[in-house]
Amino acid sequence: MVTHATKEEQREFSQLRKHADSDRLRGMATVFEAAEAVAPTRPHPAAGESAAVNLMVGPPTAVFDKIRDAMRDWRKRSGEG
C-alpha cells in the first residue's frame, strides 16, 4: 500500500525537482520546514478537518505532541520505557 507521504516523495517531489528551479525549491523547503515546526506529530482525528480549527488548535497541540515525543524518547534512552 502506498501512503500519502510515499506518494509525495516518489511522485510529486520528483516532478517538482524536474520542473522547478533551485531558488523556488529552496523557498518551498523553507515554507515546509516552518509548517512542520508548528504541526502536530501525530493524527488528532477529534480536531476534524476544518482549516480554521487546525490553525487554532494545531500549534498548541504540536507543543504537547513534541513534549510527549521527547519524554518517550528520553524514557527509551534511559531504559525506563
Side-chain angles (χ1 to χ4, degrees):
M1 182 168 117
V2 178
T3 66
H4 175 85
T6 302
K7 281 184 190 176
E8 285 179 351
E9 291 168 6
Q10 292 177 352
R11 299 176 189 162
E12 295 169 21
F13 289 175
S14 66
Q15 290 298 312
L16 281 171
R17 284 186 208 97
K18 282 183 191 177
H19 300 288
D21 64 40
S22 59
D23 287 338
R24 178 80 170 140
L25 290 173
R26 276 193 290 278
M28 292 171 72
T30 300
V31 171
F32 177 83
E33 289 166 2
E36 190 175 47
V38 296
T41 62
R42 61 188 184 88
H44 293 275
E49 297 288 326
S50 164
V53 171
N54 283 324
L55 285 172
M56 186 175 71
V57 176
T61 303
V63 171
F64 291 122
D65 281 358
K66 289 174 185 180
I67 291 169
R68 178 180 174 264
D69 296 346
M71 290 173 60
R72 178 201 60 219
D73 295 345
W74 174 79
R75 290 180 69 188
K76 284 181 181 176
R77 285 192 306 273
S78 68
E80 293 184 27

